[in-house]
Amino acid sequence: MVGGGQQGAAGTAAAASGPAFHRFDPTLPPANTNGRLQLNWHAREAPIRITDDTVVSAWTFEGDIPGPIVHCRVGDTVEFTLTNDVDVPHSMDFHAAQIDPKQAFRSVGKGQSVTYTFKPRYAGAFMYHCGTAPVLMHIGSGMHGAIIVSPREGLAPAKEFVLVQSEFYLGEAANGVRPFDYNKMLSTVPEYVAFNGRPSQYVKEPIRVKVGDRVRFWVVDAGPTHPCHFHIVGEQFDTVYLGAPPATPLRGVQTFSVPAGGGMVFELLCDIPGEFPFVNHGFGHGQKGSIGILVVEQ
Ligand code: CU
Ligand code: CU
């Protein structure tokens, strides 16, 4: 499943020794300002190192788990094209779109493309994912990510980060690479749970901000099955937006659960220096890697 024909012998050798680990940058990229976003993405397979000693054979959008972070504003025009580079059929379902799914979210075979256009109506943190059956297998093998839709009026200035929680269900390694295991996905007992595709990566390399910063986490739970009970040790959320920000703010929240297939916005004011773990407070899963550290520096 790894590589496909395009990588050949060199790709096989690379998979055996494995690709290097890289931290997934959680920084929210700026929204482009001209109101139009053109995305030309490819569905492809890639070996990805998710821990020092684990390489997985992923199904991806654009070669990583999660796929690229998309950022736009309410009412922008998103022109999306997916081209499938591999033998397994794939598709794209943007939760930020309101569109006929039979047409727009249809599966395409190798070498084929699907194109559609949408204008996000509501602000928020939205999931995207491959919707090809069985969806569990396609989301669970890495085909998911986040599209962040900012309100046109903007929000308070903040350091903004995106966290996509997902679960990993893995089989035994072949040539040093672990396949995804559909039966384990059905069992719903994950081996790892991660923010942005690598268990505990932000413990090793924390997210750093300064005293006085407002921090905004756009949290998407890609599942495929479990929620994320988002909490920051030693802090409280000044504001949690359940729906489209800036509407429906909740104040003074300790923990709130993001459902599988959902997204929410969490803000805190960093007025105390220190190292604050951000965790899935469902600790069976926090222990499996959905944990990181927010360092607040003087
Ligand atoms: Cu797919
Ligand atoms: Cu969905």
Side-chain angles (χ1 to χ4, degrees):
M1 244 185 279
V2 175
Q6 67 207 20
Q7 292 194 8
T12 307
S17 56
F21 181 88
H22 76 270
R23 176 185 189 267
F24 189 99
D25 184 357
T27 308
L28 178 69
N32 81 337
T33 47
N34 68 10
R36 256 190 137 66
L37 199 57
Q38 281 187 315
L39 304 172
N40 286 296
W41 287 5
H42 289 252
R44 52 193 178 91
E45 296 169 6
I48 297 172
R49 185 174 297 280
I50 64 164
T51 70
D52 287 341
D53 52 13
T54 305
V55 176
V56 301
S57 63
W59 295 354
T60 77
F61 294 114
E62 295 290 285
D64 207 349
I65 304 177
I69 298 169
V70 182
H71 186 196
C72 64
R73 291 178 197 279
V74 170
D76 283 355
T77 299
V78 181
E79 295 174 359
F80 178 78
T81 296
L82 179 71
T83 302
N84 187 359
D85 292 353
V86 294
D87 290 329
V88 179
H90 293 297
S91 59
M92 175 60 94
D93 171 342
F94 275 100
H95 286 192
Q98 290 170 291
I99 197 165
D100 177 2
K102 242 184 168 169
Q103 271 304 313
F105 302 166
R106 71 181 185 274
S107 297
V108 290
K110 186 172 188 174
Q112 296 180 319
S113 298
V114 57
T115 297
Y116 59 92
T117 298
F118 63 97
K119 289 175 189 266
R121 186 180 293 176
Y122 293 108
F126 293 92
M127 182 181 177
Y128 65 73
H129 62 88
C130 180
T132 301
V135 180
L136 173 64
M137 182 70 189
H138 287 253
I139 295 176
S141 298
M143 303 189 86
H144 57 255
I147 173 168
I148 306 305
V149 184
S150 289
R152 293 210 76 80
E153 63 269 39
L155 295 168
K159 297 282 171 62
E160 299 187 271
F161 303 100
V162 179
L163 299 175
V164 178
Q165 181 184 288
S166 70
E167 304 135 31
F168 286 85
Y169 303 87
L170 303 172
E172 289 308 313
N175 296 324
V177 178
R178 298 187 70 180
F180 284 87
D181 186 318
Y182 185 60
N183 283 322
K184 284 191 181 174
M185 292 178 197
L186 288 167
S187 81
T188 74
V189 181
E191 207 143 357
Y192 297 108
V193 183
F195 290 126
N196 296 340
R198 289 111 177 109
S200 306
Q201 65 179 317
Y202 305 123
V203 174
K204 276 185 277 185
E205 298 178 70
I207 294 175
R208 294 177 183 279
V209 298
K210 294 254 190 286
V211 168
D213 283 341
R214 174 179 287 271
V215 171
R216 181 174 300 120
F217 285 106
W218 303 80
V219 180
V220 165
D221 188 289
T225 296
H226 294 288
C228 176
H229 310 292
F230 196 60
H231 174 81
I232 300 192
V233 178
E235 267 293 355
Q236 290 177 348
F237 298 112
D238 167 77
T239 309
V240 174
Y241 298 109
L242 299 190
T248 62
L250 299 181
R251 303 287 183 197
V253 177
Q254 59 192 297
T255 305
F256 213 93
S257 298
V258 181
M264 286 177 197
V265 190
F266 296 79
E267 291 186 8
L268 67 156
L269 300 169
C270 296
D271 42 13
I272 305 162
E275 296 186 2
F276 300 87
F278 56 91
V279 301
N280 180 344
H281 211 290
F283 271 114
H285 289 171
Q287 195 72 36
K288 289 180 174 177
S290 49
I291 181 169
I293 294 176
L294 177 71
V295 176
V296 181
E297 295 166 322
Q298 281 288 7

